[in-house]
Amino acid sequence: MWFLPAVITVLAWGTADLFYKKGNNPKDRFTATKTTIMVGLVMGLHVLFYYVMYEGIAYDWKNLLLYLPVSSMYILSMAVGYFGLRYIEVSISSPISNSSGAVSALLTFFLLGGTMNGMQFAAVAIISFGILLLSVFEKQEFDRELKEEGQVIERKYRIGAAAIIFPILYSLIDGLGTFLDGYYLEFKQIMPEDQANMSYELTFFIIALVLWAYLELVKKEPVLVFSERDKGLAALFETVGQFFYVGAIASNAIVVAPMIASYSIVSVLLGRIFLKEKLSGKQYAVILIIMIGIAILGFYDG
């Protein structure tokens, strides 16, 4: 039951990444904060209209604090990712960031005694190596295109200690969040999946309201939510992915985490299609390898 929700999550989050790219405005110093606000608002609306009004689920507010360690890891990693877009191209940072699946799988395997059969272990290795390789090729292609256009590679976009720290931090923090999610939902079953997702989305919603008030009242910066089309679409696909992700991670955390982390290949492909960028042959080859790893996870469950 975990494979289809995981695939939907990969597609949804990969599409969200495309709109994060389009919605990122380097001329607006508050663009990362506005993205965080949009995501939080959409998640808050999802809780209200789907869980409360449609499903009629009663929320236990103590879960907001109980689930806070998980929520805080996810939200912090996303905030780091949005902020990092100022210093590194998202098509480079995304594959690096998504190595968080390997971090989570290793933590689950060594600390919680999670199990994988031989084929699943090989698939995790394939996906993790493919994501790392894709990030290297993305950087090479980015540098080559700039040189062909006669542009100087800006220091802030070079893969160095200052720039690469953001996707690395994202990977570690998000990997810890995913590990904790598996602990809460699969291994200890501390709360039902719907309560966990509602807790995360409500926490994000509260943070969004605080940030919105901060920009409007303190910074005197207007937040025109209905004008932020790309950020809104990114938030919508982010929320759809989150909805299916919770069900998948609760079923098979150790293999779902690295599989979902491969959503960066969807982002890269969509970026090439809609942003008119090009993929090299070796990039297509790595994407094929990652897809093979995903297929292995699906066919060798257990």
Side-chain angles (χ1 to χ4, degrees), residues 123 141 244:
E141 287 298 306
F244 287 98

mmCIF file of all heavy atoms in Angstrom, residues 123 141 244:
data_model
loop_
_atom_site.group_PDB
_atom_site.id
_atom_site.type_symbol
_atom_site.label_atom_id
_atom_site.label_comp_id
_atom_site.label_asym_id
_atom_site.label_seq_id
_atom_site.Cartn_x
_atom_site.Cartn_y
_atom_site.Cartn_z
ATOM 1 N N ALA A 123 18.743 -1.149 -3.962
ATOM 2 C CA ALA A 123 17.968 -0.051 -4.551
ATOM 3 C C ALA A 123 18.242 1.259 -3.833
ATOM 4 O O ALA A 123 18.382 2.312 -4.472
ATOM 5 C CB ALA A 123 16.475 -0.381 -4.505
ATOM 6 N N GLU A 141 27.059 20.891 -16.002
ATOM 7 C CA GLU A 141 26.261 21.458 -17.091
ATOM 8 C C GLU A 141 26.020 22.944 -16.892
ATOM 9 O O GLU A 141 26.059 23.735 -17.833
ATOM 10 C CB GLU A 141 24.918 20.716 -17.204
ATOM 11 C CG GLU A 141 25.046 19.320 -17.784
ATOM 12 C CD GLU A 141 25.591 19.347 -19.191
ATOM 13 O OE1 GLU A 141 25.021 20.068 -20.051
ATOM 14 O OE2 GLU A 141 26.610 18.671 -19.437
ATOM 15 N N PHE A 244 0.019 12.439 0.811
ATOM 16 C CA PHE A 244 0.309 11.051 0.446
ATOM 17 C C PHE A 244 1.578 10.528 1.125
ATOM 18 O O PHE A 244 1.719 9.328 1.372
ATOM 19 C CB PHE A 244 0.418 10.905 -1.072
ATOM 20 C CG PHE A 244 -0.898 10.991 -1.770
ATOM 21 C CD1 PHE A 244 -1.321 12.172 -2.356
ATOM 22 C CD2 PHE A 244 -1.740 9.888 -1.838
ATOM 23 C CE1 PHE A 244 -2.549 12.259 -2.995
ATOM 24 C CE2 PHE A 244 -2.974 9.958 -2.476
ATOM 25 C CZ PHE A 244 -3.376 11.153 -3.056
#
